[in-house]
C-alpha cells in the first residue's frame, strides 16, 4: 500500500492541533468546570521545531475549544513539557488569596550553534483568569540547571500524607523527586531508576506519578498503590521505537519503591503509537490520562495536511490485583461513549468453519465496537478493524492463555517513514481463552483494549487509511471460535 498521495482527514473525537506540529500532552488540569489540554506545539511547521505550549479546553473531553498559545519561546529558551496544578489556597501568593492555575515547564536553552549543546531548567508560569492568559514567574527558574544536560518534564503532584508538593523530573536514566511546601522553593528528595525497568540509549522522559485504589485486593494486601509512568524515546538500539512503561509500588513523599523485580518491564500500551502519557490533576475520584498517538521513529514523516499529530482518546485508569501482581487497567471514558449515537447490537453467532467472516460494515466518522470471543485450544485467527489485511490483530489460543500480536503494513515513499512504520509485534498474552475486545476507529487512529480472564492489553496504532472503506472481518486460520456477546457498533453523529 502506497500512501504518497494520501491526505489525512481529521478525527472526529481525537484531539488534533488547528495547524502545525503537535507532540506531548502537557499541563492537563481540571479547573472550574473545564478540562485544560496543553501540548507541545510548533505552529509554524509540520515537523518538530521551537516548542510552544498550545492550549485547548473542553467540558466533556470530546469537543475542544482552541485557545491562544499559552507559552512561547523567548530569550531564555523553548518551552518543553511539564504539568499544571491548581493553587487552591494561594500558597504561592500569586493570586490574592484566590485559587489560580500554575504551569511548570522545562526551559530548554541552546548555548551554541550545536543543537546538542543545551541546558535545561524548571520554570513556572501562572494564570489569574482560568488559563486564558499566562505570566512567567519573576524569579524563574524555580530549579536552575543542575550541571547535567537532560533535566526535564516536571510533573507536580500533591502528597497528602506529608502535606507537601512533589515534583518528579526526568534526569538522564532516572527520575528525581523534589519536594516543596509553597510550590516555589524545591528541595531534592531522592532518585529512582538505576537498574530498574527498561533503559535504552535515550534518556527517560515525561514522568507521571499518582496513587490509585487496588481493585480485587485481598484483605492482607495494600488497598492502594502508587504508579510511576516513564517514557522511553526512540534510539537505534530499540527497534520498537518510543514507548511508555510504568512501575507499581509505594511512594512515601520522599522515595519511590518498586513492587516488582528490578528487570520487569510493564508496558502501558503494546502498540507503536502511545507516548508521553500524562494524567489530569484535580479530578477527585478519577484518574484520566492522555497520550500522543505517534512514534518518534517516523513522527516527522507521517502524512500531513497542514497539521500533524493526534492525541489518544482520554482513558480512565485503575489498578487491579492479578496473580502476577497489581497491574494497570484502562477504560475508554464514558464521555466518549456519550458522543456517539445509540449502539447497534448484532446477534450472537458461532463461527464454525475456517475462512473469512465479515462481521460489520463501519459507518460514520468514529466507530466504537466490542465483542467477546471464546476460542478453543489451537485456534488462530486475525481480526481486521481497519485497512483490510494491511492491519490485523492475531489471537492464538493455547491451553490456558491467548497470545496476541499485531501486524501493520504501509508506506508513503519516504525512506524515513517506510523503514519503520510497517511492523509485526508480539504483544504478550492474556489469561484464559475467552477474550473481550473493545476498539475505537476514528480517521487514521485505532485504539484497542483486549481483556482476558484476569489481564488486559492495550494496543494503539496510527492507521492512516479511512476505516469506513474497509469491513470489519475475522479470518479464522484454524480451530473454532464463538462470538459470545455479538458485536456492538456505536457511530459518531
Amino acid at each position: 500500500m502506497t500512501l504518497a498521495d494520501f491526505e489525512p482527514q481529521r478525527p472526529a473525537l481525537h484531539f488534533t492541533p488547528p495547524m502545525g506540529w503537535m507532540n506531548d500532552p502537557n499541563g492537563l488540569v481540571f479547573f472550574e468546570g473545564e478540562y485544560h489540554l496543553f501540548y507541545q506545539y510548533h505552529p509554524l511547521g509540520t515537523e518538530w521545531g521551537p516548542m510552544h505550549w498550545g492550549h485547548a479546553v473542553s467540558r466533556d473531553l470530546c469537543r475542544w475549544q482552541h485557545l491562544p498559545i499559552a507559552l512561547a519561546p523567548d530569550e531564555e529558551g523553548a518551552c518543553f513539557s511539564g504539568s499544571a496544578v491548581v493553587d487552591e489556597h494561594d500558597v504561592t501568593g500569586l493570586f490574592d488569596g484566590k485559587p489560580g492555575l500554575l504551569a511548570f515547564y522545562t526551559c530548554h536553552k541552546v548555548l551554541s550553534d550545536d543543537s546538542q549543546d543545551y541546558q535545561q531548567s524548571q520554570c513556572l508560569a501562572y494564570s489569574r483568569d482560568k488559563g486564558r492568559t499566562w505570566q512567567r514567574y519573576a524569579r524563574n527558574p524555580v530549579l536552575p540547571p543542575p550541571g547535567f544536560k537532560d533535566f526535564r518534564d516536571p510533573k507536580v503532584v500533591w502528597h497528602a500524607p506529608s502535606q507537601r508538593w512533589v515534583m518528579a523530573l526526568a534526569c538522564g536514566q532516572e527520575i528525581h523527586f523534589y519536594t516543596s511546601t509553597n510550590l516555589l522553593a524545591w528541595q531534592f528528595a531522592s532518585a529512582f531508576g538505576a537498574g530498574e525497568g527498561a533503559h535504552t540509549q535515550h534518556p527517560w522522559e515525561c514522568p507521571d506519578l499518582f496513587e490509585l485504589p487496588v481493585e480485587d485486593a485481598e484483605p492482607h494486601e495494600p488497598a492502594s498503590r502508587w504508579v510511576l509512568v516513564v517514557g522511553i524515546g526512540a534510539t537505534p538500539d530499540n527497534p520498537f521505537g518510543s514507548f511508555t512503561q510504568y512501575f507499581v509500588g509505594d511512594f512515601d513523599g520522599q522515595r519511590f519503591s518498586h513492587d516488582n523485580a528490578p528487570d520487569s518491564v510493564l508496558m502501558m500500551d503494546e502498540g507503536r503509537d502511545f507516548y508521553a502519557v500524562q494524567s489530569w490533576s484535580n479530578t477527585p475520584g478519577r484518574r484520566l490520562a492522555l497520550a500522543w498517538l505517534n512514534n518518534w521513529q517516523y513522527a516527522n514523516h507521517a502524512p500531513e495536511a497542514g497539521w500533524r499529530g493526534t492525541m489518544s482518546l482520554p482513558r480512565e485508569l485503575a489498578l487491579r490485583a492479578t496473580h502476577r501482581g497489581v497491574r494497570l487497567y484502562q477504560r475508554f471514558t464514558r464521555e466518549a461513549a456519550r458522543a456517539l449515537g445509540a449502539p447497534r447490537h448484532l446477534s450472537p453467532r458461532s463461527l464454525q468453519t475456517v475462512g473469512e467472516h465479515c462481521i460489520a460494515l463501519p459507518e460514520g466518522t468514529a466507530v466504537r465496537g466490542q465483542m467477546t470471543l471464546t476460542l478453543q485450544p489451537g485456534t488462530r485467527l486475525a481480526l481486521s478493524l481497519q485497512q483490510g489485511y494491511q492491519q490485523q490483530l492475531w489471537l492464538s489460543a493455547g491451553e490456558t492463555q491467548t497470545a496476541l500480536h499485531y501486524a501493520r503494513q504501509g508506506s508513503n515513499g519516504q525512506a524515513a517513514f517506510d523503514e519503520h512504520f510497517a511492523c509485526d509485534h508480539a504483544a504478550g498474552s492474556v489469561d484464559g481463552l475467552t477474550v473481550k475486545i473493545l476498539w475505537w476507529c476514528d480517521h487514521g487512529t485505532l485504539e484497542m483494549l483486549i481483556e482476558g480472564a484476569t489481564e488486559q492489553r492495550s494496543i494503539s496504532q496510527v492507521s492512516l487509511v479511512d476505516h469506513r472503506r474497509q469491513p470489519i472481518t475475522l479470518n479464522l486460520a484454524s480451530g473454532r471460535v464463538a462470538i459470545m456477546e455479538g458485536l456492538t457498533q456505536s457511530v459518531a453523529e
Side-chain angles (χ1 to χ4, degrees):
M1 175 180 290
T2 299
L3 302 171
D5 299 322
F6 174 71
E7 183 173 288
Q9 298 184 54
R10 287 186 185 272
L13 297 178
H14 290 71
F15 181 84
T16 57
M19 58 180 291
W21 163 275
M22 177 183 75
N23 55 288
D24 304 359
N26 297 154
L28 307 185
V29 62
F30 182 74
F31 184 57
E32 295 189 1
E34 294 180 322
Y35 294 94
H36 290 260
L37 165 56
F38 301 88
Y39 52 92
Q40 291 286 274
Y41 188 38
H42 181 207
L44 303 178
T46 54
E47 296 183 3
W48 188 91
M51 283 292 96
H52 302 59
W53 272 37
H55 189 195
V57 293
S58 174
R59 291 186 175 274
D60 63 2
L61 294 168
C62 296
R63 289 168 282 269
W64 294 92
Q65 175 190 356
H66 293 287
L67 294 178
I69 291 171
L71 298 171
D74 61 10
E75 64 278 2
E76 295 302 317
C79 303
F80 275 22
S81 293
S83 59
V85 297
V86 178
D87 183 2
E88 189 70 39
H89 304 291
D90 191 23
V91 298
T92 59
L94 297 171
F95 302 109
D96 299 324
K98 301 176 182 178
L101 287 175
L102 300 173
F104 294 86
Y105 64 97
T106 294
C107 181
H108 178 87
K109 186 173 186 178
V110 177
L111 303 176
S112 68
D113 293 337
D114 180 1
S115 63
Q116 295 304 306
D117 179 21
Y118 60 81
Q119 67 180 20
Q120 296 179 334
S121 58
Q122 312 317 313
C123 292
L124 171 65
Y126 60 97
S127 173
R128 299 170 180 262
D129 56 4
K130 297 180 62 175
R132 268 52 184 181
T133 60
W134 291 84
Q135 295 175 262
R136 284 173 163 86
Y137 179 52
R139 297 182 181 178
N140 277 336
V142 293
L143 275 176
F148 53 87
K149 287 174 57 174
D150 295 306
F151 178 67
R152 59 178 182 260
D153 308 340
K155 177 66 178 189
V156 175
V157 301
W158 173 248
H159 186 256
S162 65
Q163 291 291 291
R164 290 183 298 186
W165 294 91
V166 175
M167 179 188 292
L169 271 173
C171 299
Q173 297 284 337
E174 297 180 330
I175 302 300
H176 289 188
F177 298 101
Y178 292 76
T179 62
S180 175
T181 57
N182 64 2
L183 290 161
L184 300 176
W186 296 88
Q187 296 80 39
F188 175 78
S190 67
F192 171 85
E196 302 276 359
H199 293 265
T200 67
Q201 295 173 3
H202 195 283
W204 283 9
E205 57 186 2
C206 304
D208 200 354
L209 179 68
F210 49 85
E211 185 181 20
L212 287 172
V214 179
E215 300 174 2
D216 301 328
E218 297 292 339
H220 64 279
E221 295 175 333
S224 68
R225 301 311 280 155
W226 284 80
V227 178
L228 176 62
V229 179
V230 177
I232 305 291
T235 50
D237 63 322
N238 172 27
F240 189 83
S242 48
F243 64 95
T244 301
Q245 67 175 329
Y246 71 95
F247 302 90
V248 177
D250 182 53
F251 183 71
D252 63 4
Q254 290 279 123
R255 297 181 180 276
F256 182 87
S257 57
H258 186 200
D259 283 351
N260 298 290
D263 60 352
S264 65
V265 177
L266 302 180
M267 299 276 285
M268 196 165 179
D269 191 285
E270 296 281 352
R272 296 287 303 283
D273 301 297
F274 196 82
Y275 196 59
V277 177
Q278 286 291 292
S279 64
W280 268 272
S281 65
N282 200 41
T283 55
R286 302 179 77 187
R287 179 58 56 175
L288 302 171
L290 196 70
W292 178 46
L293 285 182
N294 222 323
N295 191 305
W296 277 114
Q297 284 188 329
Y298 44 76
N300 280 295
H301 308 283
E304 55 87 10
W307 57 273
R308 184 181 265 150
T310 305
M311 297 299 182
S312 70
L313 288 175
R315 299 185 186 181
E316 188 159 353
L317 306 181
L319 287 178
R320 188 174 299 175
T322 76
H323 69 282
R324 293 179 180 170
V326 177
R327 296 293 185 264
L328 195 62
Y329 269 66
Q330 305 177 63
R331 305 177 180 99
F332 297 121
T333 63
R334 57 180 179 264
E335 288 88 349
R338 290 174 186 155
L340 301 184
R344 305 172 187 178
H345 299 278
L346 281 70
S347 299
R349 51 180 173 163
S350 294
L351 302 177
Q352 305 288 347
T353 59
V354 171
E356 182 179 297
H357 305 270
C358 179
I359 299 173
L361 295 173
E363 303 175 28
T365 304
V367 175
R368 178 175 67 110
Q370 69 178 55
M371 65 181 176
T372 300
L373 303 176
T374 295
L375 298 81
Q376 289 188 343
T379 297
R380 187 168 183 267
L381 61 87
L383 181 64
S384 301
L385 295 170
Q386 279 185 302
Q387 296 184 217
Y389 294 115
Q390 301 293 322
Q391 183 159 273
Q392 296 179 308
L393 170 67
W394 284 89
L395 294 85
S396 301
E399 292 296 323
T400 60
Q401 292 185 324
T402 301
L404 311 171
H405 84 264
Y406 66 82
R408 178 177 66 183
Q409 301 178 43
S411 62
N412 68 2
Q414 297 186 61
F417 181 86
D418 299 347
E419 179 184 358
H420 298 292
F421 182 75
C423 60
D424 192 330
H425 174 66
S429 62
V430 293
D431 288 339
L433 304 187
T434 297
V435 180
K436 183 177 182 179
I437 304 172
L438 303 92
W439 68 85
W440 281 84
C441 299
D442 183 10
H443 276 325
T445 67
L446 172 60
E447 297 185 63
M448 294 182 284
L449 301 178
I450 303 106
E451 296 188 9
T454 61
E455 291 186 90
Q456 182 194 66
R457 292 287 184 269
S458 171
I459 299 176
S460 301
Q461 299 196 81
V462 171
S463 303
L464 301 178
V465 173
D466 189 346
H467 67 272
R468 293 178 297 176
R469 301 175 185 175
Q470 299 290 345
I472 296 172
T473 61
L474 187 152
N475 193 324
L476 185 60
S478 63
R480 295 175 62 183
V481 63
I483 301 180
M484 299 302 295
E485 294 183 1
L487 178 140
T488 300
Q489 280 198 125
S490 299
V491 181
E493 298 180 322

